[in-house]
């Protein structure tokens, strides 16, 4: 290695711009290189009776792990197997009916070439992603995807840069085509991402977060005002629901309503729950999405909603703090 030159910020910016330009050209060139191999590969994955097994060595292996993760999270069961480990026992992870997506820019990497005959004997479908259509990998593949690039972004044209970017983009294109063909929806994505924000919004229901049972503040509509205050204080949610004889909500009284009564100088001694309640409280079904409860609160500028069952009976209460703790909002 020669002595490093003094750092030149302008040269760094120029190299960055050159890298972006080279890799952008590489991506645009991918579309022109895809022929019948791409739809054939997508169809093979759609018809796969097993899993999609992604393989690759070195940088292609790192790309392969990413592609396998993207496929798995968008409706195509997939995992990564290291080619070197495959030849020492991990080939047993594959079964007939699997589809192997083998990635190698040169198509001649020894560890991958060594297991191609064994893959053939297993009865798997091989999709080769390579930059060399005449390579060993291409010759052993049922379908070939071209990830060829005109040049690497590396100034020496050696380090995998544009070629790995092309591989990632081609993997994303496969995943997108597959999820479209499967009719993959937001709800499906959420099921494989339960810990993410989308998963929380699309999988969490009101019943999962609501206060229920004795934790729900409620009194009969004919209760005294003193009973309303005691229930509101005891449950600590800042409101009390008023219910009829069948347990259906008919009104609500909040601590804000109490402050307004006091400010008006109202005589509170002879009031009943029915005198002070707001009729027609905001209700939400217990099986509704929690994000819908958040939308209801935002729409009506309130901080709590009452949850009801299919018969309209009060079964729970939910406030904005519950939604924030669950990271729904």
């Amino acid at each position: 290695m020669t002595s490093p030159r003094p750092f030149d910020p302008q040269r760094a910016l120029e190299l960055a711009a050159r890298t972006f330009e080279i890799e952008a050209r590489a991506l645009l060139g991918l579309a022109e290189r895809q022929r019948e191999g791409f739809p054939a590969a997508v169809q093979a994955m759609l018809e796969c009776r097993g899993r999609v097994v992604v393989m690759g060595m070195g940088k292609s292996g790192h790309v392969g792990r990413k592609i396998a993760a993207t496929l798995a999270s968008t409706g195509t069961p997939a995992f990564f197997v290291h080619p070197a480990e495959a030849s020492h026992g991990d080939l047993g992870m594959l079964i007939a009916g699997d589809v192997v997506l083998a990635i190698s820019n040169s198509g001649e990497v020894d560890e991958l070439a060594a297991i191609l005959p064994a893959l053939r004997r297993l009865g798997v479908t091989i999709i080769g992603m390579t930059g060399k259509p005449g390579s060993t990998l291409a010759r052993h593949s049922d379908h070939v995807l071209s990830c060829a690039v005109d040049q690497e972004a590396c100034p020496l044209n050696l380090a995998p840069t544009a070629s790995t970017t092309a591989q990632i983009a081609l993997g994303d294109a496969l995943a997108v085509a597959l999820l479209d063909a499967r009719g993959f929806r937001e709800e499906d994505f959420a099921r494989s991402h339960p810990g993410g924000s989308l998963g929380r919004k699309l999988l969490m229901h009101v019943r999962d977060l609501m206060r229920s049972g004795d934790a729900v503040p409620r009194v009969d509509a004919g209760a005294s005002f003193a009973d309303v205050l005691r229930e509101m204080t005891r449950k600590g949610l800042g409101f009390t629901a008023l219910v009829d004889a069948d347990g259906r909500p008919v009104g609500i009284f909040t601590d804000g309503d109490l402050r307004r009564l006091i400010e008006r100088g109202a005589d509170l001694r002879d009031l009943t729950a029915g005198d002070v309640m707001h009729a027609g409280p905001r209700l939400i079904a217990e099986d509704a999405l929690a994000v819908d409860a958040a939308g209801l609160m935002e729409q009506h500028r309130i901080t709590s909603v009452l949850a009801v069952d299919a018969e309209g009976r009060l079964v729970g209460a939910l406030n904005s703090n519950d939604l924030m703790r669950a990271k729904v909002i």
Side-chain angles (χ1 to χ4, degrees):
M1 181 183 295
T2 60
S3 299
R5 68 178 72 187
F7 176 67
D8 182 348
Q10 185 57 40
R11 175 172 171 76
L13 286 171
E14 291 170 357
L15 286 172
R18 176 180 178 274
T19 298
F20 301 148
E21 181 182 351
I22 291 172
E23 298 202 359
R25 285 202 308 267
L27 294 181
L28 291 174
L30 277 182
E32 300 173 1
R33 292 188 172 93
Q34 304 316 308
R35 296 292 183 266
E36 64 278 357
F38 185 85
V42 172
Q43 186 171 2
M45 291 182 177
L46 281 172
E47 296 174 353
C48 177
R49 302 187 306 277
R51 289 76 41 85
V52 174
V53 183
V54 187
M55 295 185 173
M57 287 293 297
K59 302 298 186 295
S60 294
H62 295 309
V63 169
R65 287 183 174 87
K66 188 272 179 194
I67 292 176
T70 300
L71 290 172
S73 70
T74 53
T76 299
F79 62 92
F80 179 83
V81 171
H82 195 285
E85 299 295 343
S87 64
H88 292 277
D90 281 4
L91 210 57
M93 299 168 73
L94 281 71
I95 59 173
D98 284 345
V99 170
V100 170
L101 174 60
I103 308 171
S104 171
N105 188 42
S106 69
E108 300 294 346
V109 64
D110 291 342
E111 293 86 348
L112 196 53
I115 61 172
L116 290 174
L119 292 175
R120 275 283 172 220
R121 289 193 294 272
L122 276 175
V124 301
T125 299
I126 302 175
I127 300 171
M129 183 186 295
T130 179
K132 308 294 182 184
S135 63
T136 300
L137 174 57
R139 292 196 306 272
H140 282 79
S141 296
D142 298 290
H143 312 291
V144 178
L145 299 173
S146 174
C147 59
V149 298
D150 294 330
Q151 67 178 122
E152 299 287 4
C154 166
L156 304 176
N157 201 34
L158 295 175
T161 44
S163 58
T164 49
T165 299
Q167 291 170 353
I168 291 173
L170 195 48
D172 287 344
L174 288 170
V176 169
L178 286 164
L179 71 86
D180 178 73
R182 294 184 193 281
F184 196 77
R185 302 166 301 166
E186 283 187 343
E187 292 81 359
D188 302 311
F189 187 86
R191 274 191 283 274
S192 60
H193 296 76
S197 60
L198 181 63
R200 287 190 293 272
K201 288 180 179 179
L202 295 182
L203 295 180
M204 202 164 286
H205 292 80
V206 169
R207 74 169 74 89
D208 300 323
L209 302 178
M210 69 184 190
R211 321 291 179 95
S212 59
D214 192 52
V216 182
R218 76 178 80 195
V219 297
D220 292 335
S224 69
F225 185 69
D227 288 338
V228 171
L229 292 183
R230 277 192 290 268
E231 181 73 353
M232 193 161 65
T233 301
R234 190 161 49 238
K235 302 301 171 60
L237 289 183
F239 70 88
T240 298
L242 284 72
V243 298
D244 62 17
D246 295 321
R248 294 182 174 88
V250 294
I252 191 169
F253 183 77
T254 71
D255 52 7
D257 295 325
L258 175 61
R259 287 193 299 272
R260 284 185 286 273
L261 284 174
I262 294 172
E263 288 170 359
R264 291 204 309 266
D267 186 352
L268 308 179
R269 290 171 296 180
D270 297 326
L271 294 175
T272 66
D275 296 329
V276 297
M277 74 177 188
H278 279 296
R282 303 298 174 185
L283 308 177
I284 193 164
E286 62 176 329
D287 58 356
L289 290 173
V291 69
D292 292 335
L296 184 65
M297 292 183 197
E298 183 178 358
Q299 178 185 354
H300 297 285
R301 298 183 179 180
I302 56 178
T303 58
S304 302
V305 293
L306 304 177
V308 295
D309 62 16
E311 282 73 42
R313 293 187 295 263
L314 180 66
V315 292
L318 187 68
N319 65 21
S320 55
N321 289 332
D322 300 324
L323 296 173
M324 285 189 284
R325 275 193 296 270
K327 298 182 179 179
V328 173
I329 57 175

